[in-house]
Amino acid sequence: MRAAPERLAGVWVVVAAYNEAGVIADVVGPLVGAGYAVVVVDDGSADNTAGVARAAGAATVRHAINRGQGAALQSGLRYALDRGARILITFDADGQHAVDDLPRLLQPILAGEADVVLGSRFLEHTAAVPPLRRLLLRAAVVFTGVASGVRLTDAHNGMRALTRGAAEQLDLRLDRMAHASEIIDQIARARLRVVEVPVAVRYTPYSLGKGQRAGNAVRIAWEYLFSKMNS
Amino acid sequence: MRLFQVLALPFVALMFVVSARSLLSGRVRPVASAFWMLVWLAAGTAIVVPDATTRVAKVLGIRRGADLLVYCMVLGFLVGFYVVYLKFRQLTREITVLTRELALRDVRDGTERDHSSAAAARN
């Protein structure tokens, strides 16, 4: 499934990457091939993530030091907005998302039905999620739902699409993983129209190794709650 | 005069003078200077008149002056930690903003090659 190229004018895919030189070309290549403008934010990688991403056809922004995924995404959004992006997509760098899901992600925005479209691995595709991860993600959904008032099926999916107007209202201040809940929170506060669409998440040993460990959940929750109390 | 008083009083007096000078100089927030002057004044009083802490403690429903001091210290440390933690978070935030601005400036300056025109041209 491919979106018509003319519909992709002004559609930017923002990829936050940290030490992903080994896989970033496989992520950027298909995106560029499908006609998307791609910006990879190299978040202070020790390897040649930026160079590989550029060679694969992406624009790059390089953080001098590692600031975390939330910080990198915010930088990428700024970059794309500065270049007149009409629609902005966030996309994980570890190869867990499928380019083929993007047209489905874009559809509600192109149809004018949503300001924000969130990918969910739980609307379909549930079989592929490892049990412990599924439990954690369910907990995150409940937690985010209670804290932000937005009911979702998947709170921590890295694949999202935002209109320019929605992206301009985001100001991610939680540098590390808690930004996923923070995004939902800011979407709720700005009263943006949110739609979830099913997307596939490919779990590979590589992406699982890169993903969040159970112990981090407490830290993420703390960071998020603390920022809510002090905002 | 006991040895402890001989050792501690000059120190407390010195700190009081330092706080008073900072209040007069206007370099530190007046509230902060006044707070520290009060702290050193209370410390000096407690050193000169040890029973004073016990009297204050009794008014507050605590039996011993030493207990009052411990409670105050614990509270002080907690507040201190909180203030430092807030400051730490603010610094972290500023570092992120700085990192972002530098990265985006590198793109503008061409230090980091800007491929946006190539990327956008494909659309």
Side-chain angles (χ1 to χ4, degrees):
Chain A
M1 191 162 69
R2 273 195 173 189
E6 66 270 15
R7 304 187 90 188
L8 295 185
V11 178
W12 277 86
V13 178
V14 177
V15 182
Y18 177 56
N19 291 339
E20 304 279 12
V23 293
I24 196 70
D26 295 334
V27 174
V28 170
L31 285 167
V32 170
Y36 295 94
V38 181
V39 55
V40 171
V41 181
D42 178 346
D43 192 19
S45 299
D47 62 13
N48 190 27
T49 297
V52 176
R54 262 199 305 274
T60 52
V61 176
R62 241 186 79 75
H63 282 178
I65 50 174
N66 181 247
R67 298 311 299 153
Q69 197 182 18
L73 280 180
Q74 183 67 47
S75 297
L77 292 176
R78 263 272 302 275
Y79 177 92
L81 285 172
D82 287 350
R83 274 144 196 85
R86 198 164 52 89
I87 300 174
L88 300 95
I89 295 168
T90 66
F91 200 87
D92 283 357
D94 58 6
Q96 63 168 278
H97 297 318
V99 177
D100 287 347
D101 281 332
L102 289 182
R104 186 155 36 169
L105 196 75
L106 288 174
Q107 202 280 326
I109 288 183
L110 293 172
E113 294 161 0
D115 304 307
V116 180
V117 184
L118 304 172
S120 170
R121 72 203 98 182
F122 294 116
L123 284 176
E124 292 172 10
H125 307 294
T126 49
V129 184
L132 176 62
R133 181 137 306 204
R134 183 183 303 195
L135 191 72
L136 266 180
L137 289 163
R138 289 286 186 208
V141 164
V142 172
F143 177 77
T144 307
V146 170
S148 71
V150 181
R151 287 185 182 279
L152 299 170
T153 58
D154 188 0
H156 284 247
N157 194 302
M159 199 194 254
R160 316 171 185 89
L162 307 138
T163 61
R164 180 181 181 85
E168 281 172 341
Q169 294 189 56
L170 284 189
D171 178 21
L172 302 181
R173 287 164 170 267
L174 300 181
D175 292 340
R176 307 209 175 262
M177 288 314 294
H179 73 272
S181 297
E182 190 186 24
I183 289 179
I184 310 291
D185 212 38
Q186 294 188 1
I187 288 168
R189 281 193 199 184
R191 300 186 179 282
L192 298 169
R193 294 170 300 162
V194 186
V195 172
E196 276 190 307
V197 298
V199 298
V201 170
R202 246 194 337 246
Y203 285 103
T204 59
Y206 181 79
S207 75
L208 281 173
K210 278 272 179 176
Q212 294 304 302
R213 286 172 214 298
N216 280 351
V218 176
R219 218 190 64 189
I220 293 171
W222 158 251
E223 246 183 65
Y224 172 65
L225 282 181
F226 187 88
S227 80
K228 263 184 95 81
M229 286 188 301
N230 288 278
S231 62
Chain B
M1 215 176 194
R2 293 169 191 279
L3 179 61
F4 172 70
Q5 292 173 320
V6 173
L7 293 174
L9 262 184
F11 172 73
V12 169
L14 180 71
M15 293 314 291
F16 182 83
V17 171
V18 169
S19 303
R21 278 175 64 106
S22 73
L23 180 67
L24 294 176
S25 74
R27 277 179 311 214
V28 185
R29 277 186 306 149
V31 180
S33 301
F35 169 78
W36 283 109
M37 282 171 71
L38 270 178
V39 168
W40 297 120
L41 197 67
T45 311
I47 291 167
V48 177
V49 195
D51 286 347
T53 55
T54 306
R55 258 175 272 154
V56 176
K58 287 220 165 102
V59 171
L60 295 171
I62 303 166
R63 205 177 299 168
R64 294 185 308 173
D67 292 343
L68 175 69
L69 289 183
V70 170
Y71 294 152
C72 286
M73 267 177 62
V74 169
L75 268 179
F77 272 117
L78 283 178
V79 171
F81 269 124
Y82 185 72
V83 169
V84 170
Y85 184 63
L86 283 184
K87 187 76 194 163
F88 167 77
R89 287 183 69 99
Q90 187 196 335
L91 270 176
T92 307
R93 167 96 196 119
E94 285 170 2
I95 291 170
T96 296
V97 170
L98 185 64
T99 304
R100 175 172 305 130
E101 294 306 323
L102 284 174
L104 293 172
R105 197 183 69 178
D106 283 351
V107 172
R108 278 197 299 276
D109 295 352
T111 319
E112 183 74 16
R113 273 187 293 157
D114 186 350
H115 285 226
S116 68
S117 51
R122 276 192 300 274
N123 283 320

